[in-house]
Amino acid sequence: MKIYDLGKPSSGNKLYRHIVQGPFDHQEQFLMKNGFYIVLVTNGTATLSASDHTHNIGSRDLVIMTPSMECSVVPSGRDFSMTCIYMRPDYFDALPAGQSIYGQLPRFTARYGVAISHLAAEDYEYLCLTMRLFSDRLQDTDRYGNGARVHLCSFMLLQISDMIHRCSPGTASCYIKRSTELFRNFKKLAVDHYRSHHDIAFYADRLNISTTYLSRIVKATSGHTVRFHLSELLSIEAKRLLENTDMDINKIADTLGFSDQSVFGKFFLRKTGLSPMRFRLKSDLQHL
């Protein structure tokens, strides 16, 4: 049997990938791990195995996986096909809309080990339209591409959150571990305050826990540190301001809460390998 790891890094180490698969040979197996996956079955059936659970999935089934999950999909026949959006964990964690997904998953994972929903026909068609927008052309868009990609990913996550909520409106929310709730609340705080507060003490204080406990929770839940999550948000916003505005670099540094332009420049160089000025010049030259 041929085994394909859908989370294997692709050329350019892209933040997300649009994977359209099918038709398949029934001797093929697809692994999904170490990332966020949005899988929509478009035809046929397959066997999905995750967390000691086995499920039959078919057309209009939506499967959602987080980095802590691992599953395999084995097609039942050559007519099976699916569309899959893969997102690197660090990219997903920087999306504010990601929290809407986290809020919906426990009711499914407690029962099935993985989130599976069967969509109504109109929801299926609507989601198909959204997923078609994740094209290579969008990946290659430079000047406004980052903003477009962030907004498209966020739109899709909110769209899916609404759909899976309506799939089980009478289902009571499952118990969410305190660590998961703390991580979600940290992410919400980070999105609101990352420009003005870069220190872990601020977030720990707002959550009424120690900095050590917050560090441990964030690392255990996401695999990344508090500083990493904040730096990702700062880096994304810095790139947007450098690419899409004429704002002075010193003003950008102040807007993002850095003490001066020099500190901002060192931070940006570490994150991107370029100084803010060279990043802006490179972006401008690409659009001449």
Side-chain angles (χ1 to χ4, degrees):
M1 177 176 288
K2 297 179 181 178
I3 300 177
Y4 300 91
D5 184 354
L6 299 186
K8 185 177 181 180
S10 61
S11 59
N13 196 25
K14 294 180 179 179
L15 299 172
Y16 71 79
R17 294 202 305 280
H18 182 201
I19 308 166
V20 180
Q21 301 285 358
F24 294 116
D25 189 293
H26 68 280
Q27 293 299 316
E28 295 175 321
Q29 179 181 10
F30 299 89
L31 298 180
M32 288 176 274
K33 58 183 180 179
N34 302 324
F36 279 86
Y37 297 84
I38 309 295
V39 178
L40 185 62
V41 181
T42 53
N43 195 56
T45 60
T47 300
L48 182 148
S49 300
S51 302
D52 299 323
H53 294 75
T54 300
H55 311 277
N56 294 320
I57 56 175
S59 182
R60 299 200 338 236
D61 280 345
L62 174 67
V63 181
I64 302 170
M65 289 188 53
T66 69
S68 62
M69 302 175 186
E70 181 175 335
C71 82
S72 64
V73 173
V74 178
S76 301
R78 292 190 58 83
D79 61 338
F80 177 77
S81 61
M82 67 182 182
T83 296
C84 174
I85 303 293
Y86 160 86
M87 296 184 195
R88 272 179 23 197
D90 53 343
Y91 186 70
F92 183 94
D93 287 339
L95 298 171
Q99 303 312 308
S100 63
I101 290 288
Y102 274 123
Q104 299 293 330
L105 293 185
R107 71 180 70 187
F108 296 96
T109 56
R111 242 184 311 168
Y112 308 122
V114 67
I116 303 176
S117 298
H118 185 68
L119 301 182
E122 57 271 25
D123 285 340
Y124 167 77
E125 294 295 338
Y126 191 18
L127 185 55
C128 282
L129 290 174
T130 301
M131 296 179 88
R132 290 189 193 117
L133 297 176
F134 286 85
S135 65
D136 289 339
R137 183 174 181 180
L138 178 64
Q139 285 276 28
D140 297 333
T141 303
D142 292 320
R143 179 173 291 276
Y144 302 108
N146 183 62
R149 290 186 287 268
V150 169
H151 285 297
L152 178 56
C153 288
S154 296
F155 172 77
M156 181 184 68
L157 294 177
L158 291 172
Q159 178 186 21
I160 290 173
S161 297
D162 180 66
M163 287 177 179
I164 61 179
H165 174 72
R166 287 188 281 106
C167 281
S168 54
T171 305
S173 295
C174 296
Y175 172 73
I176 302 176
K177 293 191 300 183
R178 174 169 166 76
S179 59
T180 303
E181 187 68 25
L182 284 171
F183 176 72
R184 288 170 50 195
N185 288 336
F186 160 71
K187 290 294 292 180
K188 292 175 184 177
L189 285 172
V191 169
D192 290 337
H193 299 286
Y194 72 91
R195 297 175 187 84
S196 54
H197 293 281
H198 305 171
D199 57 308
I200 185 174
F202 169 83
Y203 300 96
D205 183 63
R206 293 292 293 268
L207 294 170
N208 297 310
I209 58 177
S210 70
T211 56
T212 302
Y213 186 47
L214 177 58
S215 295
R216 187 164 66 247
I217 289 298
V218 172
K219 180 69 173 178
T221 304
S222 67
H224 295 294
T225 64
V226 170
R227 183 178 295 276
F228 175 86
H229 285 282
L230 297 175
S231 68
E232 284 294 293
L233 292 169
L234 288 166
S235 177
I236 289 172
E237 181 66 0
K239 290 176 183 178
R240 186 189 71 81
L241 293 173
L242 288 166
E243 288 179 326
N244 303 329
T245 75
D246 295 323
M247 188 182 295
D248 181 81
I249 293 177
N250 189 55
K251 178 63 176 177
I252 293 176
D254 182 63
T255 299
L256 296 179
F258 290 91
S259 57
D260 56 47
Q261 183 175 330
S262 175
V263 174
F264 169 63
K266 292 176 181 177
F267 162 82
F268 195 82
L269 181 63
R270 286 196 305 271
K271 291 294 292 185
T272 67
L274 295 172
S275 69
M277 181 61 73
R278 287 183 64 83
F279 180 87
R280 174 171 272 174
L281 289 174
K282 181 180 178 181
S283 178
D284 289 341
L285 287 173
Q286 289 175 338
H287 296 89
L288 289 178

